[in-house]
Amino acid sequence: MPDQPTRPRNPHSWIQAPLHGAINAVAWLAVLLTLGLLAFSPLPGLGGAALGIAAAFATVIGGGLVYALAGRTASPVASASSATAVVLAALIARLLQDPGVAATGAGGVSAVLACAAVSVGLMGLMQIAGGLLGAGSIGMYVPQPVLAGFKNGVALLILISQLPPLLGLPALTRLLDGDALAQAHPAATALGLGTAAVVWGVARWRPRAPAALVGLMAGVAAFVAARWFWPQASFGPPLGELAGRLVWPDALLPLATQSARDLLQRHAADIAQTAAVMAVIGSLESMLAAIAIDRSTRSRHDPRREMLALGAGNIASALCGGLPLVLSRARSMLLIKSGAMGRRPVLWSVLAFVGLFAAAAPLLQWLPRAVLAGIMLTIAWALVDDWTWQLLRRWLRGSSGSPAALNQSLAMVAAVWIVTVWFGFVAAVLVGLLLSMLVFIFRMNRGLVRSRGSAALHPSRRIHLPAQEAVLQTARQRVLVLQLEGALFFGSAERLLLEVDWLPPDCPCVVLDFKRIGSIDESGAVALQSLWQRLRLQGVRLLLAGVMPDNALGTTLLAYHCLDDGQAQDCCPDLDRAVEAAEALLLAEVGTAVPRHALLLADAPLLGGLSALQRERVLACMPAQPLAAGALLFHQGDAADRLYVLTEGSVSIIRRDTVPDQRYVSFPPGMVFGETAMLDGGGRTADAVADTASVVHELTLADFDRLSAADPALGAALSRNVARHLSERLRSAAVAWQAAGG
């Protein structure tokens, strides 16, 4: 089970909880009223205001109570949100356009509200299903351009919906209706904009103050003063009578009528799609809020548990006729900053909303809708995506990064924004996800090949004999090496095939480095199989670096039946071994792949320039030591008191604490190794392993000192030969680094 969140202890919670809960409810009152009006704004006449406000209170009382009991965040407080309220309003608007609704009068409105409640309930069921399936964080994977375009579209729709009350009109059928605009009331516009200005000012200069509540009080005060000093001014319609009835789970009762059931059946697809959109948006908003709460309280929420709690809360809200419910970041932060955490303050807040609903209804009926419209303007402005502003500023200044990526992001934001406004939320989500998938495929297709070059840029760590190296210096240019990154899947497989269409002249081999490939899907495996067959027909061998039958990529190819026995021989643990196999092919072409013949110790470079007597003295100190294939000569960390000369076979210096084993170098006959650690007195930094049956000769530090003491000239000659050997190896390494850098 996931760890339970840790909550700071508050010994005074029993005393402070009622006070903080009541303050939280009062501070959120203005926002709650505006969200109710927003969700039910499509309802005809002024009755929509009363129904919307009642639904808003049902949300925080019925749904909020269930979530407070079931949630496990440090402050499990929930409310309606502007984004989901707009989505619900769009559904209500579509339902009201049904001819059967107008024919049934008041019963039609009840049927519409029942269908809206069904959508909210389906949203809750979807969230419960998501929680049971462990999809609590799936909303976090919504692409940022889609989220930004959607938020901006919602902000614009909120602004459009608030134009009628801001103009002092009951409704506005068209955005630029000349007749309606001629009947606008400037006083209502001034009152709404003034309220918005107060909210913005308080939010800027007193961030911890309840800006919406202060704006509501200022708007009411301005309205009362204006009516006193300017009685003939018209501020537009007020909210009207708000019958404060008890919140009760009876919202679905209208479905008992045949007309309501018919409406539900005719619009089942719209209702289900709206529920799905609200579930995604509400879950994303809630999970982001939960993360913010975790950071503020140093706790950790359980996404699965919170999804289940949100689903239960939305079902309760639906039964009570409420709005979609989300975890409220703003309300949670108000409680957290005041030191009131846990469930008790939230429960007291629910109780405070019950009191406000009963007591405030007679007073709110005289409140001009322009005041609440001004508050909603600030909510719409706050909903505009900050990331979009950053992109626009970069675009206007001239981006210093990738202009193409910036333009793609802005185009996606604009597309989702336009579709949201003109075609609705379901279409916006579908278009956004489609665009995201296309851009993802395009970027992955372009980014599959990290680098393209020849084996000359990536020579293997095997040291070849001089005759062999002379051949490889030019022959490596004929081997194509492609370093890949990302995923080899249906969106990038074609890029791989196109890259291999052009090969160097007389190319005998292509090496694909899969070190940075995270996954391969069926399409990628089929493309790889097709590439194998195509190159085989051209007489070109394909080597895979980082793919082995026993690692993740290899087992994936085996599962897709794209790695047969012959192809498994072309798999190498890393790029180094793959290039070595390519070098062996190049040497075999010109017949110089022989030479791992035995070398006499007397002919080794270590003994170069010595007299016959000196050579005999050294040979007497360096007996032959045979090694079987795979035998360990020394181990990482061993004391280094001797050097070795290889006269037959091959020895590699590797580290076995990496996956795959990391090879530093492989020596041919005649090479000296182990001398660095012997000279500086350090331990062995890696293992020495015989690749094949080999023969080595060792010269201990004690014998070296004894020979040098007896014959200083001999000691100087041996030291000079060791130094020359080190110099040649460093020079070869420098050439390889320079080639790789180029």
Side-chain angles (χ1 to χ4, degrees), residues 601-610 618 622 643-645 670-672 675 697-699 704 714 717-725:
L601 179 60
D603 297 330
L606 178 65
L607 280 66
L610 300 184
V618 176
M622 299 182 66
L643 60 78
Y644 299 91
V645 176
M671 297 299 293
V672 178
E675 74 285 3
H697 301 259
E698 62 180 37
L699 175 63
F704 180 84
L714 173 59
L718 288 175
S719 298
R720 185 167 54 250
N721 289 341
V722 170
R724 182 183 295 111
H725 175 75

Side-chain angles (χ1 to χ4, degrees), residues 52 67 76 210 237 260 417 422 681 697 721:
Y67 181 72
W417 173 63
W422 291 102
H697 301 259
N721 289 341

Side-chain angles (χ1 to χ4, degrees), residues 185-188 223-236:
H185 302 283
F223 169 68
V224 173
R227 291 300 299 268
W228 180 267
F229 294 104
W230 192 12
Q232 69 273 20
S234 175
F235 294 91

Side-chain angles (χ1 to χ4, degrees), residues 451-713:
S451 69
R452 177 189 177 104
S454 68
L457 301 178
H458 309 277
S460 75
R461 295 188 176 94
R462 174 167 294 283
I463 298 178
H464 297 278
L465 296 177
Q468 295 174 313
E469 187 60 33
V471 172
L472 294 175
Q473 286 291 331
T474 56
R476 288 191 182 104
Q477 298 287 348
R478 297 164 48 209
V479 176
L480 175 62
V481 177
L482 295 177
Q483 290 186 292
L484 310 179
E485 67 178 350
L488 182 58
F489 72 124
F490 67 91
S492 60
E494 184 64 23
R495 171 73 188 280
L496 179 61
L497 298 177
L498 292 175
E499 281 288 339
V500 185
D501 278 345
W502 180 83
L503 297 175
D506 300 324
C507 176
C509 180
V510 173
V511 177
L512 299 182
D513 184 10
F514 281 76
K515 177 182 179 181
R516 296 177 179 85
I517 290 292
S519 62
I520 303 176
D521 75 348
E522 296 90 337
S523 299
V526 171
L528 192 59
Q529 183 77 1
S530 174
L531 180 61
W532 234 318
Q533 295 171 354
R534 182 199 304 178
L535 292 177
R536 185 178 295 170
L537 292 176
Q538 299 176 17
V540 179
R541 186 174 176 184
L542 179 64
L543 299 175
L544 304 186
V547 177
M548 296 294 289
D550 58 348
N551 67 10
L553 296 179
T555 54
T556 299
L557 293 177
L558 285 171
Y560 297 145
H561 303 287
C562 292
L563 193 64
D564 58 30
D565 293 337
Q567 293 165 342
Q569 298 176 1
D570 295 330
C571 294
C572 305
D574 52 31
L575 180 60
D576 176 38
R577 305 301 177 100
V579 173
E580 181 185 2
E583 292 171 345
L585 288 176
L586 295 172
L587 294 174
E589 285 182 348
V590 294
T592 59
V594 237
R596 291 200 181 102
H597 58 276
L599 178 75
L600 294 177
L601 179 60
D603 297 330
L606 178 65
L607 280 66
L610 300 184
S611 66
L613 180 59
Q614 289 174 329
R615 189 177 292 112
E616 289 180 4
R617 290 175 180 173
V618 176
L619 292 175
C621 298
M622 299 182 66
Q625 179 180 344
L627 296 173
L632 181 68
L633 180 60
F634 56 74
H635 192 275
Q636 179 180 349
D638 288 350
D641 60 349
R642 64 199 64 201
L643 60 78
Y644 299 91
V645 176
L646 178 67
T647 57
E648 185 178 348
S650 172
V651 172
S652 292
I653 308 299
I654 63 174
R655 289 193 61 168
R656 293 182 171 179
D657 55 356
T658 60
V659 179
D661 294 345
Q662 182 179 3
R663 178 174 67 165
Y664 290 142
V665 65
S666 293
F667 296 115
M671 297 299 293
V672 178
F673 59 94
E675 74 285 3
T676 304
M678 186 190 78
L679 293 175
D680 65 17
R684 301 297 183 188
T685 57
D687 297 351
V689 180
D691 301 318
T692 62
S694 305
V695 176
V696 297
H697 301 259
E698 62 180 37
L699 175 63
T700 66
L701 181 59
D703 287 336
F704 180 84
D705 291 339
R706 181 175 56 79
L707 291 172
S708 299
D711 186 349

Side-chain angles (χ1 to χ4, degrees), residues 298-370:
R298 297 182 181 179
S299 59
R300 186 172 65 180
H301 75 283
D302 179 0
R304 177 179 176 276
R305 177 61 183 261
E306 296 311 313
M307 285 284 285
L308 295 174
L310 282 170
N314 273 303
I315 291 175
S317 180
L319 293 175
C320 297
L323 310 178
L325 190 79
V326 302
L327 174 59
S328 176
R329 177 179 180 177
R331 289 186 62 196
S332 297
M333 289 304 175
L334 287 175
L335 289 173
I336 291 171
K337 290 177 181 179
S338 65
M341 287 184 286
R343 187 176 293 108
R344 296 190 193 98
V346 182
L347 295 176
W348 281 107
S349 179
V350 171
L351 186 60
F353 275 123
V354 174
L356 287 172
F357 185 45
L363 302 177
L364 292 175
Q365 62 181 328
W366 305 106
L367 180 66
R369 298 181 67 186

Side-chain angles (χ1 to χ4, degrees), residues 20-33 53-54 56-58 60-61 213 216 242-245 247 331 348-365:
H20 288 303
I23 293 174
N24 184 266
V26 173
W28 194 250
L29 177 62
V31 177
L32 184 66
L33 297 176
I53 291 176
F57 275 100
V60 293
I61 295 174
L213 180 61
L216 176 64
L242 304 177
R245 70 180 186 86
V247 175
R331 289 186 62 196
W348 281 107
S349 179
V350 171
L351 186 60
F353 275 123
V354 174
L356 287 172
F357 185 45
L363 302 177
L364 292 175
Q365 62 181 328

